[in-house]
Amino acid sequence: MHRTTITALTLAAVMAAASFATPASAATQFATAAAKPNLRACYDGKCKITITRPVSFRVAARYRLSRVWVSKVYAFNQDMVRVEGPGVATTLGAGGSGSINSLNVRVLSITDRGATVRFEG
């Protein structure tokens, strides 16, 4: 009788520990994935990023920009995205598109938490 009780208690403890470990690791993976966009993928001028804070990244020399800064701003009584380079800038609303030098930009969405922007080269 003792073996059965000990086995049952051990099994219950292992299952309880596993149930606590899984959500924490899944939450950690999600937070890590959502924390930083892959800005190196934008070097060629073609990428899609979701920002939750201002970011900057280098782009290829063919765009005549050494660095691009992207941030969510409040302008014209609404949330917008500002894309800047040395000496050039554009501010776009959701669904808007524009360019700085020859780097084309499209704002896919803007939320309370951030914005999704596509660079189209």
Side-chain angles (χ1 to χ4, degrees), residues 4-36:
T4 306
T5 304
I6 291 172
T7 304
L9 288 174
T10 304
L11 185 58
V14 169
M15 291 176 62
S19 68
F20 285 118
T22 303
S25 63
T28 303
Q29 289 173 356
F30 176 74
T32 303
K36 289 187 175 184

Short mmCIF file of all heavy atoms in Angstrom, two decimals, residues 4-36:
data_model
loop_
_atom_site.label_atom_id
_atom_site.label_comp_id
_atom_site.label_asym_id
_atom_site.label_seq_id
_atom_site.Cartn_x
_atom_site.Cartn_y
_atom_site.Cartn_z
N THR A 4 2.18 2.27 -3.59
CA THR A 4 1.16 2.91 -4.41
C THR A 4 0.97 4.36 -4.01
O THR A 4 0.88 5.25 -4.86
CB THR A 4 -0.18 2.14 -4.29
OG1 THR A 4 0.05 0.78 -4.60
CG2 THR A 4 -1.21 2.71 -5.23
N THR A 5 0.93 4.64 -2.72
CA THR A 5 0.74 6.01 -2.24
C THR A 5 1.94 6.87 -2.60
O THR A 5 1.78 8.00 -3.08
CB THR A 5 0.53 6.00 -0.70
OG1 THR A 5 -0.56 5.16 -0.40
CG2 THR A 5 0.26 7.39 -0.19
N ILE A 6 3.13 6.35 -2.41
CA ILE A 6 4.34 7.12 -2.73
C ILE A 6 4.42 7.36 -4.23
O ILE A 6 4.75 8.46 -4.68
CB ILE A 6 5.60 6.38 -2.22
CG1 ILE A 6 5.61 6.41 -0.68
CG2 ILE A 6 6.88 7.02 -2.76
CD1 ILE A 6 6.69 5.55 -0.06
N THR A 7 4.11 6.38 -5.04
CA THR A 7 4.13 6.53 -6.49
C THR A 7 3.11 7.58 -6.92
O THR A 7 3.40 8.43 -7.77
CB THR A 7 3.84 5.19 -7.19
OG1 THR A 7 4.79 4.23 -6.74
CG2 THR A 7 3.90 5.32 -8.69
N ALA A 8 1.92 7.54 -6.36
CA ALA A 8 0.88 8.50 -6.71
C ALA A 8 1.29 9.91 -6.32
O ALA A 8 1.10 10.87 -7.07
CB ALA A 8 -0.44 8.12 -6.04
N LEU A 9 1.87 10.08 -5.14
CA LEU A 9 2.31 11.40 -4.68
C LEU A 9 3.46 11.93 -5.54
O LEU A 9 3.50 13.11 -5.88
CB LEU A 9 2.73 11.35 -3.21
CG LEU A 9 1.58 11.19 -2.21
CD1 LEU A 9 2.15 11.01 -0.80
CD2 LEU A 9 0.64 12.37 -2.27
N THR A 10 4.38 11.07 -5.89
CA THR A 10 5.49 11.47 -6.75
C THR A 10 4.99 11.91 -8.11
O THR A 10 5.42 12.93 -8.66
CB THR A 10 6.50 10.32 -6.89
OG1 THR A 10 6.93 9.91 -5.59
CG2 THR A 10 7.70 10.73 -7.73
N LEU A 11 4.09 11.13 -8.68
CA LEU A 11 3.51 11.46 -9.98
C LEU A 11 2.77 12.79 -9.92
O LEU A 11 2.89 13.62 -10.82
CB LEU A 11 2.59 10.33 -10.45
CG LEU A 11 2.00 10.48 -11.84
CD1 LEU A 11 3.10 10.61 -12.88
CD2 LEU A 11 1.11 9.29 -12.16
N ALA A 12 2.00 13.02 -8.86
CA ALA A 12 1.27 14.27 -8.71
C ALA A 12 2.23 15.45 -8.60
O ALA A 12 1.99 16.52 -9.18
CB ALA A 12 0.36 14.20 -7.48
N ALA A 13 3.32 15.29 -7.88
CA ALA A 13 4.30 16.36 -7.72
C ALA A 13 4.97 16.69 -9.06
O ALA A 13 5.17 17.86 -9.39
CB ALA A 13 5.35 15.97 -6.68
N VAL A 14 5.31 15.69 -9.83
CA VAL A 14 5.94 15.91 -11.13
C VAL A 14 4.99 16.62 -12.07
O VAL A 14 5.36 17.56 -12.79
CB VAL A 14 6.42 14.57 -11.73
CG1 VAL A 14 6.83 14.73 -13.19
CG2 VAL A 14 7.57 14.01 -10.90
N MET A 15 3.74 16.21 -12.09
CA MET A 15 2.74 16.85 -12.96
C MET A 15 2.50 18.29 -12.55
O MET A 15 2.36 19.17 -13.40
CB MET A 15 1.44 16.04 -12.96
CG MET A 15 1.60 14.68 -13.66
SD MET A 15 0.13 13.65 -13.57
CE MET A 15 -1.06 14.63 -14.41
N ALA A 16 2.46 18.56 -11.26
CA ALA A 16 2.26 19.93 -10.79
C ALA A 16 3.45 20.80 -11.17
O ALA A 16 3.28 21.94 -11.62
CB ALA A 16 2.05 19.94 -9.28
N ALA A 17 4.65 20.29 -11.02
CA ALA A 17 5.84 21.05 -11.38
C ALA A 17 5.88 21.33 -12.88
O ALA A 17 6.24 22.42 -13.31
CB ALA A 17 7.10 20.30 -10.95
N ALA A 18 5.49 20.37 -13.68
CA ALA A 18 5.47 20.55 -15.13
C ALA A 18 4.44 21.59 -15.55
O ALA A 18 4.68 22.37 -16.45
CB ALA A 18 5.19 19.22 -15.83
N SER A 19 3.30 21.63 -14.88
CA SER A 19 2.28 22.59 -15.25
C SER A 19 2.71 24.02 -14.92
O SER A 19 2.33 24.96 -15.59
CB SER A 19 0.94 22.27 -14.58
OG SER A 19 1.03 22.46 -13.18
N PHE A 20 3.53 24.19 -13.88
CA PHE A 20 4.02 25.52 -13.55
C PHE A 20 5.16 25.94 -14.47
O PHE A 20 5.30 27.09 -14.80
CB PHE A 20 4.51 25.58 -12.09
CG PHE A 20 3.40 25.60 -11.09
CD1 PHE A 20 3.26 24.58 -10.16
CD2 PHE A 20 2.47 26.62 -11.10
CE1 PHE A 20 2.24 24.59 -9.24
CE2 PHE A 20 1.43 26.63 -10.18
CZ PHE A 20 1.32 25.62 -9.25
N ALA A 21 5.96 25.02 -14.93
CA ALA A 21 7.12 25.35 -15.75
C ALA A 21 6.73 25.72 -17.18
O ALA A 21 7.30 26.61 -17.76
CB ALA A 21 8.09 24.18 -15.77
N THR A 22 5.74 25.08 -17.74
CA THR A 22 5.39 25.30 -19.14
C THR A 22 4.88 26.71 -19.41
O THR A 22 5.39 27.36 -20.30
CB THR A 22 4.36 24.24 -19.61
OG1 THR A 22 4.93 22.96 -19.39
CG2 THR A 22 4.03 24.42 -21.05
N PRO A 23 3.90 27.25 -18.67
CA PRO A 23 3.45 28.60 -18.98
C PRO A 23 4.55 29.64 -18.80
O PRO A 23 4.64 30.57 -19.58
CB PRO A 23 2.31 28.84 -18.00
CG PRO A 23 1.83 27.49 -17.62
CD PRO A 23 3.04 26.63 -17.67
N ALA A 24 5.40 29.48 -17.82
CA ALA A 24 6.46 30.46 -17.61
C ALA A 24 7.43 30.46 -18.78
O ALA A 24 7.83 31.51 -19.25
CB ALA A 24 7.20 30.16 -16.31
N SER A 25 7.81 29.28 -19.27
CA SER A 25 8.75 29.25 -20.37
C SER A 25 8.10 29.76 -21.66
O SER A 25 8.74 30.44 -22.44
CB SER A 25 9.30 27.84 -20.58
OG SER A 25 8.25 26.95 -20.93
N ALA A 26 6.84 29.48 -21.87
CA ALA A 26 6.15 30.00 -23.05
C ALA A 26 6.04 31.52 -22.97
O ALA A 26 6.24 32.22 -23.96
CB ALA A 26 4.76 29.38 -23.16
N ALA A 27 5.75 32.06 -21.80
CA ALA A 27 5.66 33.50 -21.63
C ALA A 27 7.02 34.15 -21.85
O ALA A 27 7.13 35.21 -22.46
CB ALA A 27 5.13 33.84 -20.24
N THR A 28 8.07 33.51 -21.38
CA THR A 28 9.41 34.04 -21.56
C THR A 28 9.79 34.05 -23.04
O THR A 28 10.34 35.04 -23.53
CB THR A 28 10.44 33.20 -20.77
OG1 THR A 28 10.05 33.19 -19.41
CG2 THR A 28 11.84 33.75 -20.91
N GLN A 29 9.48 33.00 -23.76
CA GLN A 29 9.78 32.95 -25.18
C GLN A 29 9.01 34.04 -25.93
O GLN A 29 9.54 34.69 -26.80
CB GLN A 29 9.44 31.58 -25.76
CG GLN A 29 10.38 30.51 -25.30
CD GLN A 29 9.92 29.13 -25.74
OE1 GLN A 29 8.86 28.98 -26.32
NE2 GLN A 29 10.73 28.13 -25.46
N PHE A 30 7.74 34.26 -25.58
CA PHE A 30 6.95 35.28 -26.24
C PHE A 30 7.51 36.66 -25.96
O PHE A 30 7.64 37.48 -26.85
CB PHE A 30 5.48 35.20 -25.79
CG PHE A 30 4.64 36.29 -26.38
CD1 PHE A 30 4.27 36.26 -27.71
CD2 PHE A 30 4.23 37.37 -25.62
CE1 PHE A 30 3.51 37.25 -28.27
CE2 PHE A 30 3.48 38.38 -26.17
CZ PHE A 30 3.11 38.33 -27.49
N ALA A 31 7.86 36.92 -24.70
CA ALA A 31 8.39 38.23 -24.34
C ALA A 31 9.71 38.50 -25.07
O ALA A 31 9.95 39.60 -25.52
CB ALA A 31 8.59 38.32 -22.83
N THR A 32 10.55 37.50 -25.19
CA THR A 32 11.82 37.66 -25.88
C THR A 32 11.59 37.91 -27.36
O THR A 32 12.22 38.77 -27.96
CB THR A 32 12.69 36.41 -25.70
OG1 THR A 32 12.88 36.21 -24.30
CG2 THR A 32 14.03 36.57 -26.38
N ALA A 33 10.66 37.18 -27.95
CA ALA A 33 10.38 37.37 -29.37
C ALA A 33 9.77 38.73 -29.65
O ALA A 33 10.04 39.34 -30.67
CB ALA A 33 9.45 36.27 -29.86
N ALA A 34 8.95 39.23 -28.75
CA ALA A 34 8.28 40.51 -28.96
C ALA A 34 9.16 41.69 -28.59
O ALA A 34 8.89 42.80 -28.99
CB ALA A 34 6.99 40.55 -28.16
N ALA A 35 10.22 41.46 -27.84
CA ALA A 35 11.02 42.55 -27.32
C ALA A 35 11.82 43.27 -28.39
O ALA A 35 11.88 44.48 -28.41
CB ALA A 35 11.94 42.05 -26.22
N LYS A 36 12.45 42.55 -29.29
CA LYS A 36 13.34 43.18 -30.26
C LYS A 36 13.02 42.73 -31.68
O LYS A 36 13.03 41.54 -31.96
CB LYS A 36 14.79 42.83 -29.96
CG LYS A 36 15.33 43.48 -28.73
CD LYS A 36 16.81 43.19 -28.61
CE LYS A 36 17.40 43.92 -27.45
NZ LYS A 36 18.85 43.73 -27.36
#
